[in-house]
């Protein structure tokens, strides 16, 4: 486990940037006058609900660094379950961790995923680098496509494994923008494709959270039988509104999250 929260996020960021070339450009576009001041609202990680690597195993890395469990979310159609975590220092990114409910999937998918997870070294899960360790298995491009037909989430996991699938710009903290519509327009003007599932803006001031995201970059993955360009990771943008007590809402909105997951769909 990491002993320093900043080191963990630096490593997650470098690992994310390596397969998400658009992120550096977007970082410049939104923050250019004060590049290092972009504050991340949250990051997200994915896994399978198999004991060895379940959500709680990923969460342990954050609990050890001062995070606490705050909310839980159900995504019935996508067969996902998620929790979010917050740090005692509100400047630290929130963490959204989801897991695929493997037993709800087809026997074929279950067999593939069980085989992938069996290849992970037990000690790797608690190692410092687990959250940015990528895949611990080899799958063929046919297996990837087979998973994709049933669960985009499972297919993404088979190709990318353990890594932050997105970072999220905290719009509240930006100097150059004060609303999500202007952020989206700036992104589109610069040629970035947004996730339009459920509309460009997910959520509303009424639910105290508005979110948008890019579509994941296409990046080459080496499968056991050759290379394929497939969606890697994306960038999200979030603006939060105050609750009745005047404090900004810190949770997530399941209906919006359901659409954000689709940012890794093929273009
Ligand atoms: C997480 C999707 C949900 C949000 O902010 O609601 C999410 C994922 O794609 O793994 O990030
Ligand atoms: Ni997110």
């Amino acid at each position: 486990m990491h002993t320093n929260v900043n080191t963990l996020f630096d490593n997650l960021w470098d690992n994310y940037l390596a397969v998400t070339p658009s992120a550096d450009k977007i970082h410049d576009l939104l923050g250019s006058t004060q590049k290092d001041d972009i504050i991340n609202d949250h990051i997200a990680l994915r896994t399978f609900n198999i004991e060895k690597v379940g959500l709680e195993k990923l969460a342990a890395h954050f609990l050890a660094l001062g995070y606490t469990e705050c909310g839980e979310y159900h995504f019935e159609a996508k067969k996902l379950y998620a929790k979010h975590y917050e740090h005692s220092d509100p400047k630290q990114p929130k963490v959204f961790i989801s897991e695929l409910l493997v037993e709800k999937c087809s026997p074929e998918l279950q067999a593939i995923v069980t085989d992938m997870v069996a290849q992970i070294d037990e000690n790797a899960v608690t190692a410092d680098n687990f959250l940015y360790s990528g895949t611990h298995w080899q799958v063929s491009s046919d297996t990837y496509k087979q998973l994709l037909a049933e669960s985009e989430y499972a297919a993404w996991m088979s190709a990318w494994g353990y890594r932050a699938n997105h970072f999220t710009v905290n719009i509240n903290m930006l100097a150059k923008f004060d609303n999500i519509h202007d952020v989206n327009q700036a992104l589109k003007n610069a040629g970035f494709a947004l996730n339009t599932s459920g509309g460009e803006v997910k959520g509303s001031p009424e639910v105290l959270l508005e979110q948008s995201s890019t579509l994941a970059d296409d990046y080459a993955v080496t499968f056991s039988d050759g290379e394929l360009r497939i969606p890697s990771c994306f960038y999200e943008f979030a603006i939060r509104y105050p609750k009745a007590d005047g404090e900004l809402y810190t949770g997530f909105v399941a209906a919006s999250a359901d659409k954000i997951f689709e940012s890794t769909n093929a273009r």
Side-chain angles (χ1 to χ4, degrees):
M1 307 264 176
H2 272 275
T3 51
N4 184 296
V5 66
N6 296 314
T7 313
L8 172 58
F9 283 109
D10 285 350
N11 285 317
L12 283 163
W13 173 255
D14 290 345
N15 174 253
Y16 161 81
L17 270 192
V19 299
T20 320
S22 66
D24 241 346
K25 295 175 199 141
I26 292 171
H27 207 277
D28 285 351
L29 180 75
L30 299 183
S32 53
T33 56
Q34 36 182 304
K35 186 161 178 292
D36 296 328
D37 284 346
I38 284 194
I39 308 273
N40 288 297
D41 179 84
H42 68 269
I43 64 149
L45 297 154
R46 299 175 174 179
T47 190
F48 304 107
N49 74 336
I50 293 176
E51 174 68 18
K52 190 179 183 181
V53 291
L55 190 165
E56 304 294 343
K57 293 289 167 66
L58 276 60
H61 289 260
F62 294 99
L63 296 178
L65 292 170
Y67 277 81
T68 51
E69 190 183 311
C70 290
E72 60 160 4
Y73 311 89
H74 297 270
F75 305 93
E76 222 158 290
K78 289 184 172 67
K79 300 176 175 148
L80 301 174
Y81 175 68
K83 285 183 178 178
H84 99 265
Y85 300 81
E86 297 178 22
H87 196 269
S88 50
D89 172 0
K91 278 244 161 79
Q92 293 296 350
K94 291 175 248 307
V95 176
F96 184 96
I97 308 176
S98 60
E99 61 183 12
L100 180 67
L101 307 177
V102 177
E103 76 282 0
K104 295 197 189 300
C105 301
S106 71
E108 293 77 13
L109 183 147
Q110 290 186 39
I112 295 166
V113 169
T114 302
D115 183 58
M116 280 161 45
V117 170
Q119 293 178 57
I120 305 174
D121 181 337
E122 199 86 53
N123 296 317
V125 181
T126 51
D128 265 12
N129 71 347
F130 182 61
L131 301 178
Y132 46 92
S133 61
T135 54
H136 298 244
W137 48 77
Q138 275 252 293
V139 295
S140 69
S141 59
D142 280 346
T143 300
Y144 171 77
K145 288 173 191 163
Q146 186 186 340
L147 292 174
L148 192 56
E150 179 171 347
S151 163
E152 189 278 326
Y153 184 104
W156 187 92
M157 272 303 294
S158 77
W160 298 107
Y162 297 97
R163 58 174 61 246
N165 67 66
H166 64 280
F167 275 70
T168 308
V169 173
N170 178 341
I171 298 174
N172 299 71
M173 301 295 278
L174 288 179
K176 288 167 59 176
F177 297 87
D178 64 1
N179 71 81
I180 197 164
H181 306 281
D182 289 352
V183 168
N184 287 350
Q185 196 55 54
L187 291 163
K188 287 190 288 181
N189 291 348
F192 294 103
L194 297 182
N195 170 357
T196 57
S197 176
E200 270 178 12
V201 176
K202 288 109 177 106
S204 64
E206 288 68 38
V207 298
L208 308 181
L209 176 60
E210 289 178 308
Q211 295 164 275
S212 64
S213 59
T214 61
L215 282 175
D217 285 354
D218 271 327
Y219 208 84
V221 170
T222 307
F223 291 96
S224 59
D225 56 342
E227 215 177 79
L228 266 190
R229 289 186 77 83
I230 60 161
S232 57
C233 302
F234 59 95
Y235 220 150
E236 187 188 316
F237 316 93
I239 186 162
R240 293 180 181 275
Y241 294 87
K243 298 173 290 180
D245 67 3
E247 299 290 331
L248 291 182
Y249 177 63
T250 57
F252 289 77
V253 175
S256 302
D258 187 65
K259 304 302 180 202
I260 298 280
F261 278 115
E262 295 172 20
S263 307
T264 50
N265 282 4
R267 286 158 188 250

